[in-house]
Amino acid sequence: MTRSSTTYTASATSGTSPLTVDALTAAVLAGEHGPLPSALVATSVFWIHHGTRLAGGDTTYLNQYVLVRLGGSFGGCAFEAGEIDPAVCREASGSPLDVLLREAPRPLRMAALDAYLAEVRPHPSAVDAGEAEAVVLPAGTPEVRAKARDAAIAGLLDIPAGARVGLIGVVNPLVAAIRERGGVPLPCDFNLKTTQWGDPVTDDMHQVLDGAQAVVATGMTLSNGSFDTILDRCRSRGIPLVVYAQSGSAVARAFLGAGVSAVSAEPFPFSQFSADPTRLYRYRAPAGA
């Protein structure tokens, strides 16, 4: 994995920093972040379902994504089984973007919002502007690439040894990466009971948010509606929030400096769909934000 020693920070998106996802969506619909979505069309909507079991593990991760193509950009959002079925591809492809942002099921709304924000401000352009760092994940097996990805995510944590790190959305390589940074993971997930090493996994997000000194949350919190709660709790407690986002990578970026301290943004196509080198983009909130 190649990494720069430079510290990259991202400026806030245009307009007032959003306090909630709904407020961000309303600002986008009003044209505060770029062209009016009513003038844009979601060319393609597609649905992916895949499973992964990493070598040495006993957990099979089952993931579903809905994706939106807008111009040269893709927006993506994971969702729980049964929330959306493949018929959405026929029903939503070619829809005006504002219709999806207003009326679609929440995961599709988040994918549409992600596509819009990625199109008006592509991640590579943020690198060119010095607002983000591109991290190259190496070619190799899923295990090699997952370890590199999760080390890059954990590298966004600035914590003292022994700090309690809430992990909302559990993947085992990230548990290991947090430990390697000196943190003590507090894992939370709706679909897992233990980590690969037998650590108990709670499904009580509030318990984790109350006890953590820093929080790492998946972008899927945008899909299930818990993102705003996590954001507000981290703001009120004054603790760092790092978002690792395949889901809603450009959406999470919009909250930098407004409750989010750092983002690991991995736009589609995601690392698990390739054995070749791919990029993710690391953002940090401006100093003092």
Side-chain angles (χ1 to χ4, degrees):
M1 177 175 64
T2 61
R3 292 173 58 179
S4 167
S5 60
T6 305
T7 298
Y8 291 82
T9 60
S11 61
T13 54
S14 59
T16 303
S17 296
L19 294 178
T20 65
V21 174
D22 284 349
L24 175 61
T25 303
V28 166
L29 284 165
E32 295 177 15
H33 289 258
L36 286 169
S38 57
L40 304 173
V41 171
T43 307
S44 300
V45 173
F46 52 109
W47 180 94
I48 297 175
H49 184 188
H50 75 98
T52 300
R53 178 176 288 198
L54 299 174
D58 58 3
T59 300
T60 300
Y61 302 98
L62 297 175
N63 300 109
Q64 297 82 212
Y65 299 93
V66 62
L67 298 118
V68 172
R69 175 73 180 268
L70 177 68
S73 301
F74 293 87
C77 190
F79 58 90
E80 296 289 353
E83 282 190 278
I84 295 176
D85 67 44
V88 72
C89 304
R90 178 180 63 252
E91 295 163 357
S93 293
S95 296
L97 197 70
D98 67 315
V99 172
L100 297 186
L101 290 173
R102 289 190 174 99
E103 300 176 9
R106 184 177 181 87
L108 181 50
R109 294 203 312 271
M110 293 302 100
L113 183 62
D114 189 36
Y116 177 92
L117 293 171
E119 179 69 2
V120 298
R121 185 172 166 234
H123 292 293
S125 70
V127 174
D128 294 340
E131 297 174 348
E133 172 194 8
V135 177
V136 178
L137 303 181
T141 65
E143 292 76 21
V144 166
R145 287 170 59 74
K147 184 175 181 179
R149 179 198 65 207
D150 293 340
I153 296 166
L156 290 167
L157 284 168
D158 184 14
I159 53 172
R164 299 182 302 277
V165 180
L167 178 58
I168 300 177
V170 175
V171 288
N172 285 312
L174 186 51
V175 174
I178 290 171
R179 285 201 173 106
E180 289 171 5
R181 295 283 297 180
V184 177
L186 304 178
C188 176
D189 198 288
F190 290 132
N191 297 313
L192 297 177
K193 298 301 182 184
T194 63
T195 70
Q196 179 179 338
W197 302 276
D199 308 285
V201 177
T202 182
D203 61 2
D204 185 349
M205 177 181 72
H206 300 283
Q207 174 187 335
V208 168
L209 293 174
D210 286 344
Q213 295 166 277
V215 172
V216 180
T218 174
M220 192 172 176
T221 55
L222 291 162
S223 176
N224 64 26
S226 61
F227 180 82
D228 286 345
T229 299
I230 297 166
L231 188 69
D232 180 68
R233 189 71 179 123
C234 290
R235 281 190 193 121
S236 65
R237 293 194 58 217
I239 60 174
L241 171 59
V242 175
V243 182
Y244 67 104
Q246 290 184 335
S247 295
S249 61
V251 179
R253 178 183 64 183
F255 292 88
L256 280 164
V260 171
S261 55
V263 175
S264 174
E266 189 180 343
F268 185 81
F270 308 135
S271 58
Q272 63 265 39
F273 298 137
S274 176
D276 296 325
T278 56
R279 288 185 172 191
L280 58 79
Y281 301 89
R282 301 201 309 179
Y283 296 83
R284 297 179 188 272

